[in-house]
Amino acid sequence: MSIIPPAPGEPRRPQGPRNPGDAWVVAETGEKYWGRFGAAGLLAVDPVRGVLLQHRVGWSHFGGTWGLPGGALHEGESALVGAIREAQEEAGVPDGAVRARFTRVLDLKIWSYTTVVADVVEPFEPVISDPESLALEWVPVDAVDERPLHPGFADAWPALRALLAVRPSIVVDAANVIGSVPDGWWRDRAGAAERLHDRLVAWAAAGVEPGVLGGAGVPEALGESEKFGALGEPGVRWYPDVTMVVEGAARKMAGAGAGAGAGAGVALDADGAGGVDLGGGVDLGGAGVGVAGLGAAGVGAVGVWGVGVGAVGVVRADGHGDDAIVGEARRLVAAGPEVIVVTSDRELRTRVEALGARIQSAGWMRDQLDARSARRGR
């Protein structure tokens, strides 16, 4: 393997490298890949218009083909941050217009490429904002194969397309999770619920490792069906929608705990310095990412330099919490997501499994949260 900077006068970087990452990685067999520290691209998915593709200018690598807005990562930069930065530079993707659903990594050992798949939450029109694009178009999913695709994207597209049909959603029985550890929660149920919410936001924002939600190596209850097995796709990190259901005194939770309030909390700078682990060496802390508390809609979320991650909603049960959990699971299953309910209550388990949801225990959720905290040394 060798590292070769762009040649003098190369159209991609006519003024020379803008960043140490602007270089070719050349394999011993001669193949070359752009990005000393790897590369990332954004697959923006609009429910009406399809996916956003870039028609690459002729002088670019595999010029004339269609692929994703993206490019070389900066040193220490996460794929999430790098993909949205490149998409903003090349396609004018506005801040907050997309929310990450999953990432998929192609790891060649000497070089890696991460596809960030994100749902459009604020419709926008792409704008050609650098010389690397001939065109930017929303292409219906069924029509993507009709375009001459960049070879790397062509190889990845069948798996990416299949995963577009997968949308994991997690419903947390907050009382069951909180009550699984005798830490004095009964003295302040609302405060305990706020602390759980904060931890769920950070966990969801970090993304869920491949195999944790489904596939090989997980309980049979999750891996026994094809749709849940897709959640274990190798190299895929999920950013699931999470809803926690609270009841009784916990309904009075004022917000997301420490730092609650719209726009309050921690933030992330573009190179990933800070405090909440996003996976792959990326942290929250600094400027560019906000962890919001609970707003009027009862949702706390994290935004990473223009892309949303880690949304956690709160359902305040008017009556029995189990009924509210069943109602939320029923609503989500009807909408199509792969629904996982977190509870150790046997009767509740039977009710939600009858709806087509799957179960993980309160202990599993605690283990997930504790493992994330341990990685941060908390």
Side-chain angles (χ1 to χ4, degrees):
M1 181 193 76
S2 57
I3 305 295
I4 301 177
E10 180 178 331
R12 178 187 297 270
R13 294 291 184 268
Q15 306 302 320
R18 297 185 305 205
N19 181 275
D22 290 346
W24 294 100
V25 176
V26 182
E28 293 180 357
T29 49
E31 296 91 349
K32 65 178 186 178
Y33 308 95
W34 179 247
R36 179 196 300 261
F37 308 113
L42 176 70
L43 180 60
V45 183
D46 186 287
V48 176
R49 297 177 291 177
V51 297
L52 178 61
L53 296 186
Q54 174 195 53
H55 194 189
R56 302 167 62 84
V57 71
W59 52 257
S60 67
H61 201 211
F62 295 109
T65 62
W66 290 79
L68 305 181
L73 296 176
H74 294 176
E75 185 172 11
E77 184 178 52
S78 76
L80 275 175
V81 171
I84 195 65
R85 174 184 54 75
E86 287 283 342
Q88 290 182 338
E89 292 174 3
E90 297 183 1
V93 177
D95 281 344
V98 296
R99 182 180 183 279
R101 195 195 314 178
F102 66 89
T103 60
R104 184 176 186 270
V105 180
L106 169 67
D107 187 354
L108 302 179
K109 305 305 180 185
I110 63 168
W111 180 85
S112 66
Y113 184 91
T114 302
T115 305
V116 176
V117 179
D119 295 301
V120 174
V121 293
E122 293 289 343
F124 66 93
E125 292 300 330
V127 177
I128 296 177
S129 45
D130 79 353
E132 297 186 37
S133 302
L134 289 174
L136 295 162
E137 293 183 15
W138 293 103
V139 179
V141 170
D142 291 340
V144 169
D145 287 322
E146 299 172 6
R147 308 288 175 107
L149 301 179
H150 182 287
F153 181 54
D155 287 344
W157 175 240
L160 291 170
R161 179 175 180 174
L163 290 172
L164 292 182
V166 182
R167 189 182 298 272
S169 189
I170 299 174
V171 181
V172 178
D173 181 350
N176 199 255
V177 174
I178 292 169
S180 63
V181 176
D183 59 0
W185 56 265
W186 52 88
R187 291 191 291 267
D188 181 10
R189 295 171 190 257
E194 291 167 5
R195 291 189 294 274
L196 174 60
H197 180 271
D198 282 356
R199 298 187 73 191
L200 287 171
V201 169
W203 176 74
V208 182
E209 296 282 354
V212 170
L213 297 182
V218 299
E220 292 183 2
L222 287 176
E224 63 189 11
S225 71
E226 182 177 349
K227 73 172 186 175
F228 282 91
L231 295 176
E233 177 82 12
V236 176
R237 177 184 293 267
W238 294 93
Y239 297 86
D241 292 325
V242 180
T243 303
M244 58 178 282
V245 178
V246 295
E247 62 182 349
R251 295 176 70 251
K252 298 179 181 179
M253 58 182 293
V266 297
L268 168 72
D269 53 18
D271 63 2
V276 177
D277 181 19
L278 282 179
V282 187
D283 295 335
L284 292 179
V289 174
V291 178
L294 296 179
V299 176
V302 181
V304 183
W305 208 50
V307 60
V309 291
V312 177
V314 176
V315 172
R316 292 172 168 82
D318 291 329
H320 199 284
D322 286 7
D323 293 337
I325 292 167
V326 170
E328 183 68 6
R330 179 182 293 110
R331 180 185 71 82
L332 291 169
V333 168
E338 290 65 39
V339 181
I340 298 169
V341 175
V342 177
T343 186
S344 293
D345 184 296
R346 293 184 180 180
E347 181 180 349
L348 180 57
R349 172 176 181 151
T350 300
R351 294 175 67 186
V352 297
E353 285 183 333
L355 299 173
R358 292 295 184 263
I359 292 292
Q360 280 286 27
S361 69
W364 172 87
M365 187 80 261
R366 300 288 309 206
D367 288 345
Q368 291 294 311
L369 299 178
D370 290 345
R372 195 210 65 82
S373 296
R375 288 195 297 270
R376 295 303 311 150
R378 297 178 184 177

